[in-house]
Amino acid sequence: MENFEHINAKSFEEAGKAVEGNKNFSKVVMAGGTDLMTVMRTRILNEMPETVVNLKTIEDGAYIRDEGDQIAIGAITKLKDVVSSEELSKSCVALNEAAHTVASPLIRNIGTIGGNICQDVRCWYYRYPEDGGGILNCARKGGSECYAIRGDNRYHSIYGGMKTKVTGCSLSCPVGTDIGSYMELLRNHDMQGACDILIGYNPLGAITGRICAHFCQDDCNRGHLAATEAPGEGDDSVGIHTVERCMGDYMFAHPERYYTAPEKETGKKVVLVGSGPAGLTAAYYLRKAGHDVTILDSQEKPGGMLRYAIPNYRLPLKYVDRIEELWKGMGVKFQCGVTVGKDVEAADLEKQYDKVFYATGAWSRPVLGFDGEEFTEFGLSFLVEVNQWMQKKERKHVLVIGGGNVAMDVAVTAKRLGAETVTLACLEARDEMPSSEEEIHRALEEGIKIMNSYGVSKALYADGKITGMELKRCVSVYDEDHHFSPEYDDTELLSIDADSVLMAAGQRVDLSFLKEEYDLAVERGRIKTDEVTRRTNRKDVYAGGDAVSGPSTVASAIRQGREAAKDINKTYGIDCPVYYEKKGFTKFDPDCLSIKHSVKDIETPVSERRIDKEDSDTVPEEAIFEEAKRCMNCACYSVNASDISPVLLMDDAEIVTTKKTINAKDFFTTELDTKDMLEPGELVKEIRVNKLDGYTTHYEKLRIRPSIDFAIISLTTAVKKAADKVDDIRLVLGGVAPVPIRLYQVEDYLKGKTMTADLIDQAVDMAVADCFVLRKNAYKVTQVKTYLKRFLESI
């Protein structure tokens, strides 16, 4: 055991101040000490505590006092005193019984009621991380998964799990979509409900499902697992982008549900400059809120990069046209061929509209400064003018500079337009390339040569024509802080013959339309905004997309457009977009690990691919319903450890802290961990139990060893009878879910009724109707039914 600082607190307030600013559990409090000793001995926590604050020295911290309608219990009251309390035996005997079932007499002589309700989870993956052949960093301790999903789950939840944090897939998604929640609905074939979730984050699912780099799949736990039934065999990530593509197409096909005009108008006018993904997203949520929305764009048609920079084989124009059609149907107005700074001034927009949002993209060519740069061509311009490119002059051997998706688009497009050879050179090594694996694979399939770890030295030219490029070896792309800072070996040079060199190594933001006197804050050549609200330094002016971030992803632009719209709506007291709020517990398919490989888009054979036809087709709905089964819905499936909390939930007790009073239902069922209901430095100081006069209360639990073990299941009951009928009844299950469960539906069903065999059977079936059985814990359902039926028959 490591050394630590020890503080004897004189009051709860003093103890709270001592642990304020606590990070990574470096400061902990101890009352009974039973849990903390285990923490420090077995290294449950990733880091040992540096400071231990002793609560046992607090004066008047342990008491049981009759206060009229309630009994007040000090947080450091020993469990043995709760067991022997006459006050509780008269008003809530279930609390006596629950305290008596906690472990052994020794533990009850040390343990406190406050410590019991705030104790750590009893899951062995959490408590004994080294017993599985290596360190098991479970989700409760900052890891990415709950090992009960694929390991021993005999004692785990039969009602589902709860999220410990934002899961890796959602965290890596630039849009931030709640992927696990819509996957859960898709498993139940609820396409409409799943799309309701998606569109709350992203109204362009049909677009991102086709062109997004889907970073979400890189952090999907399925892709990180070895198959359990065939050791050594890999496991695919869930095909999230394929699923979202199908969902996006469904939304586009059902505008009457997803792309409707608002029911009422706000009278507010908003203008958006730029009709790319950021502008379109902001326009969607602003119009849904009821504002008058106008989009200005300098191009002939709306869509921005979606229309002009992404090849048809990846994103057919019909989908961009569909966006324009749907947005117009919602009442969004487009004014194309309008350039700010030329046709209208930025300052005038502020006068004409209530809010302004700039999303002008990054269309300008960067200047790298190498010799002969003027003889090369801008890759983005090539994509915009692709239909005219081949007519300009004959190009047989094309060299593309860049390693991102735009570079891949340029290379593949050039090859399909008839170039004999296409070579792509980029600074990054193969595993560093910013392009998605799918795009790299597509390029290799079509015969494009990729030269990794090479950068531009100079252009080779003669008589005003490009003849090739001299490249130099790039030995590193990033510095130790992962900032872009390439280093080269100038002695390792390589010449490449080419009659066309297309520079696709990034674009630059052009803010020349903003006059100097307009005074909009700019930083590193981009519009400066607040990272959460997307507000600029000018009142009522917002910005997003590449104009703020520099060249980035479509998904990132969508999020920034949504964030700006959300803040604009908030200023008018409108909650739009409305995000899906998960109710109840998370669930997954217990057989999910048996399906090893993910669903894929229906790919066109390489020999049949063209420049003007999409390379793939959307899978049918049934395919994504099956794919959703592969999602583990990564959460914690452990069960609540406290014997006391189910009784307090049944009693509608109150938890008094150093800062507030919290109802037991909120305290025990809102968050996975009760500690998350407390602010930094906030401590539980008292429990207030309501006197249940006229009720008969009881607590019992199933456990393996009566002398020590936690509940496999527990049942807390309270009943008040009027003649032969149930006047009131309260039923709480413990040990069956991450938090105690009060059976409100069953209670309402039984109130005012006389117990009969049929009534009891129906009530028992109702109690387990939502059970979610894992591979090894089905017996717990049987035990719940047995305990509940036995109790109801005793009434």
Side-chain angles (χ1 to χ4, degrees):
M1 188 178 295
E2 298 181 7
N3 292 328
F4 55 85
E5 180 185 5
H6 186 267
I7 299 174
N8 288 322
K10 292 284 194 278
S11 67
F12 285 102
E13 286 72 21
E14 177 187 335
K17 287 184 179 180
V19 295
E20 278 184 344
N22 189 13
K23 293 182 179 179
N24 300 322
F25 298 98
S26 61
K27 301 175 181 179
V28 296
V29 296
M30 179 179 70
T34 57
D35 225 29
L36 183 59
M37 292 302 103
T38 307
V39 167
M40 301 178 75
R41 185 177 68 254
T42 62
R43 290 182 175 268
I44 291 176
L45 301 180
N46 293 329
E47 300 292 337
M48 291 298 101
E50 300 172 359
T51 303
V52 175
V53 181
N54 182 19
L55 303 182
K56 292 184 290 184
T57 53
I58 294 176
E59 297 179 5
D60 195 30
Y63 53 84
I64 300 176
R65 290 198 290 255
D66 189 325
E67 297 191 349
D69 293 335
Q70 292 182 317
I71 293 177
I73 308 172
I76 58 175
T77 301
K78 301 289 192 299
L79 292 173
K80 69 179 182 67
D81 296 325
V82 175
V83 173
S84 60
S85 168
E86 291 186 11
E87 292 92 337
L88 291 172
S89 67
K90 296 175 184 176
S91 60
C92 187
V93 71
L95 192 52
N96 297 98
E97 294 172 335
H100 184 266
T101 67
V102 176
S104 63
L106 176 61
I107 298 297
R108 293 195 293 273
N109 288 338
I110 299 173
T112 64
I113 187 170
N116 184 275
I117 67 175
C118 295
Q119 67 181 299
D120 277 316
V121 66
R122 295 287 174 181
C123 174
W124 56 76
Y125 296 118
Y126 177 88
R127 300 181 77 84
Y128 308 109
E130 297 183 357
D131 286 1
I135 296 294
L136 299 176
N137 189 21
C138 81
R140 289 286 286 254
K141 291 188 293 183
S144 60
E145 64 171 306
C146 174
Y147 296 101
I149 293 175
R150 55 192 179 101
D152 192 345
N153 44 44
R154 285 172 291 167
Y155 305 124
H156 287 76
S157 172
I158 55 172
Y159 282 90
M162 290 177 69
K163 301 289 186 183
T164 61
K165 59 182 179 180
V166 178
T167 51
C169 56
S170 294
L171 193 62
S172 298
C173 170
V175 179
T177 307
D178 186 353
I179 295 168
S181 289
Y182 75 59
M183 288 287 185
E184 186 167 327
L185 294 181
L186 290 176
R187 280 191 289 279
N188 296 321
H189 291 211
D190 184 359
M191 177 67 99
Q192 285 190 352
C195 290
D196 287 344
I197 295 175
L198 177 58
I199 206 161
Y201 295 88
N202 175 12
L204 300 173
I207 306 302
T208 53
R210 286 174 164 80
I211 65 172
C212 183
H214 45 78
F215 304 114
C216 53
Q217 292 184 197
D218 295 338
D219 279 329
C220 170
N221 280 332
R222 283 305 301 265
H224 301 161
L225 299 182
T228 56
E229 297 178 4
E233 182 182 336
D235 205 333
D236 290 344
S237 297
V238 176
I240 300 170
H241 80 285
T242 299
V243 171
E244 285 202 3
R245 171 174 172 167
C246 184
M247 293 168 66
D249 285 0
Y250 180 89
M251 292 190 297
F252 271 14
H254 295 82
E256 71 283 355
R257 182 178 179 93
Y258 302 104
Y259 301 98
T260 57
E263 294 181 0
K264 61 180 180 179
E265 303 289 335
T266 65
K268 302 297 180 181
K269 298 175 63 177
V270 185
V271 65
L272 302 98
V273 182
S275 64
L280 290 169
T281 301
Y284 174 83
Y285 293 118
L286 292 167
R287 183 60 191 144
K288 289 294 286 186
H291 308 311
D292 182 300
V293 178
T294 300
I295 301 181
L296 308 182
D297 199 284
S298 59
Q299 300 286 352
E300 293 181 4
K301 299 197 73 176
M305 293 284 183
L306 302 178
R307 178 178 294 279
Y308 292 103
I310 299 176
N312 270 323
Y313 60 81
R314 286 186 64 207
L315 181 64
L317 286 177
K318 66 179 182 180
Y319 294 107
V320 187
D321 290 338
R322 180 61 171 160
I323 296 172
E324 181 182 3
E325 177 186 0
L326 293 171
W327 266 238
K328 285 181 177 178
M330 293 173 62
V332 175
K333 291 173 277 190
F334 291 92
Q335 294 183 18
C336 294
V338 177
T339 302
V340 176
K342 176 183 176 183
D343 302 307
V344 62
E345 298 297 332
D348 293 333
L349 293 179
E350 287 189 52
K351 299 174 184 177
Q352 298 171 22
Y353 297 90
D354 297 294
K355 304 286 183 182
V356 181
F357 175 70
Y358 286 104
T360 50
W363 293 83
S364 296
R365 175 176 179 168
V367 177
L368 303 183
F370 59 87
D371 180 30
E373 185 171 6
E374 67 273 21
F375 298 107
T376 65
E377 298 173 83
F378 186 28
L380 186 59
S381 296
F382 158 71
L383 290 175
V384 172
E385 301 169 2
V386 66
N387 291 330
Q388 291 79 38
W389 184 73
M390 289 302 290
Q391 283 72 44
K392 287 185 176 180
K393 58 180 179 180
E394 185 179 10
R395 292 172 172 85
K396 293 183 178 180
H397 305 290
V398 176
L399 174 63
V400 179
I401 305 297
N405 282 344
V406 171
M408 294 298 162
D409 288 343
V410 169
V412 172
T413 300
K415 192 72 167 66
R416 292 189 186 182
L417 285 173
E420 294 179 10
T421 65
V422 177
T423 302
L424 183 145
C426 63
L427 298 175
E428 298 85 5
R430 177 66 175 80
D431 60 353
E432 295 177 316
M433 292 178 69
S435 180
S436 67
E437 281 296 322
E438 285 78 6
E439 295 310 305
I440 296 171
H441 181 68
R442 190 203 313 265
L444 293 173
E445 276 187 323
E446 304 200 15
I448 292 165
K449 180 181 179 182
I450 297 178
M451 298 180 59
N452 295 105
S453 301
Y454 277 97
V456 174
S457 172
K458 64 180 180 180
L460 303 177
Y461 54 93
D463 301 325
K465 295 182 178 180
I466 196 85
T467 60
M469 290 286 286
E470 182 181 83
L471 305 177
K472 54 186 177 181
R473 170 70 71 175
C474 179
V475 295
S476 67
V477 182
Y478 305 101
D479 62 19
E480 57 185 14
D481 296 321
H482 204 69
H483 295 145
F484 182 73
S485 181
E487 292 188 7
Y488 302 94
D489 180 355
D490 292 325
T491 65
E492 189 172 347
L493 302 176
L494 182 67
S495 294
I496 302 293
D497 293 333
D499 54 27
S500 178
V501 176
L502 297 168
M503 303 299 298
Q507 301 92 248
R508 184 169 58 86
V509 176
D510 182 5
L511 300 179
S512 60
F513 65 91
L514 298 173
K515 304 296 175 61
E516 186 175 341
E517 60 272 17
Y518 184 60
D519 192 30
L520 185 68
V522 174
E523 187 173 70
R524 298 193 304 276
R526 306 166 192 165
I527 300 174
K528 184 178 180 181
T529 69
D530 179 271
E531 292 187 1
V532 176
T533 65
R534 300 301 162 189
R535 297 185 185 189
T536 71
N537 63 310
R538 294 186 68 87
K539 186 177 181 294
D540 300 325
V541 177
Y542 294 73
D546 291 353
V548 169
S549 63
S552 187
T553 63
V554 168
S556 176
I558 288 172
R559 180 164 191 157
Q560 292 183 48
R562 188 189 72 219
E563 288 170 340
K566 182 178 180 181
D567 192 74
I568 291 172
N569 290 332
K570 186 177 178 180
T571 63
Y572 297 122
I574 300 171
D575 186 16
C576 183
V578 178
Y579 302 130
Y580 171 80
E581 294 184 9
K582 169 69 180 173
K583 296 180 180 179
F585 300 112
T586 63
K587 298 179 181 179
F588 64 97
D589 187 330
D591 294 325
C592 64
L593 296 178
S594 65
I595 311 172
K596 301 294 188 299
H597 301 297
S598 66
V599 67
K600 304 289 195 304
D601 295 338
I602 304 169
E603 297 289 340
T604 301
V606 176
S607 60
E608 299 176 16
R609 293 178 187 173
R610 306 200 308 262
I611 193 68
D612 58 348
K613 182 180 180 296
E614 191 170 10
D615 280 355
S616 59
D617 291 319
T618 302
V619 299
E621 290 180 17
E622 281 299 323
I624 71 168
F625 296 153
E626 287 299 307
E627 182 65 12
K629 293 180 181 179
R630 300 185 66 248
C631 172
M632 298 189 297
N633 209 356
C634 301
C636 174
Y637 293 88
S638 63
V639 297
N640 68 294
S642 170
D643 290 289
I644 304 298
S645 62
V647 180
L648 300 183
L649 179 59
M650 175 276 294
D651 181 80
D652 289 327
E654 294 177 330
I655 313 301
V656 181
T657 75
T658 50
K659 296 185 178 181
K660 58 181 176 290
T661 298
I662 311 172
N663 177 269
K665 179 182 178 182
D666 295 332
F667 188 76
F668 292 119
T669 67
T670 302
E671 299 288 347
L672 176 63
D673 194 328
T674 54
K675 298 183 186 71
D676 292 334
M677 292 297 294
L678 305 175
E679 301 172 15
E682 183 179 11
L683 300 177
V684 174
K685 60 187 295 186
E686 183 178 87
I687 293 92
R688 291 183 169 272
V689 180
N690 296 305
K691 292 182 178 180
L692 298 178
D693 296 332
Y695 285 82
T696 300
T697 68
H698 181 52
Y699 175 87
E700 62 177 332
K701 72 180 183 182
L702 170 67
R703 52 183 170 174
I704 297 175
R705 298 170 296 174
S707 64
I708 193 73
D709 278 342
F710 60 92
I712 304 299
I713 71 158
S714 72
L715 176 63
T716 304
T717 59
V719 63
K720 179 191 286 188
K721 294 182 65 176
D724 62 342
K725 294 184 178 180
V726 173
D727 184 46
D728 191 25
I729 189 169
R730 303 180 187 184
L731 306 167
V732 179
L733 293 172
V736 296
V739 296
I741 296 178
R742 184 164 171 181
L743 302 174
Y744 290 104
Q745 185 180 7
V746 179
E747 293 174 3
D748 291 340
Y749 178 68
L750 295 174
K751 287 176 185 176
K753 295 178 181 176
T754 300
M755 289 297 163
T756 65
D758 287 343
L759 184 73
I760 291 172
D761 287 343
Q762 291 173 20
V764 169
D765 289 342
M766 188 181 299
V768 298
D770 291 331
C771 277
F772 165 70
V773 177
L774 301 176
R775 294 186 306 281
K776 298 182 179 181
N777 68 356
Y779 74 95
K780 295 181 76 169
V781 179
T782 302
Q783 293 298 329
V784 167
K785 295 173 71 173
T786 299
Y787 271 60
L788 187 57
K789 184 173 183 177
R790 186 171 63 197
F791 165 71
L792 295 177
E793 288 176 341
S794 71
I795 297 177

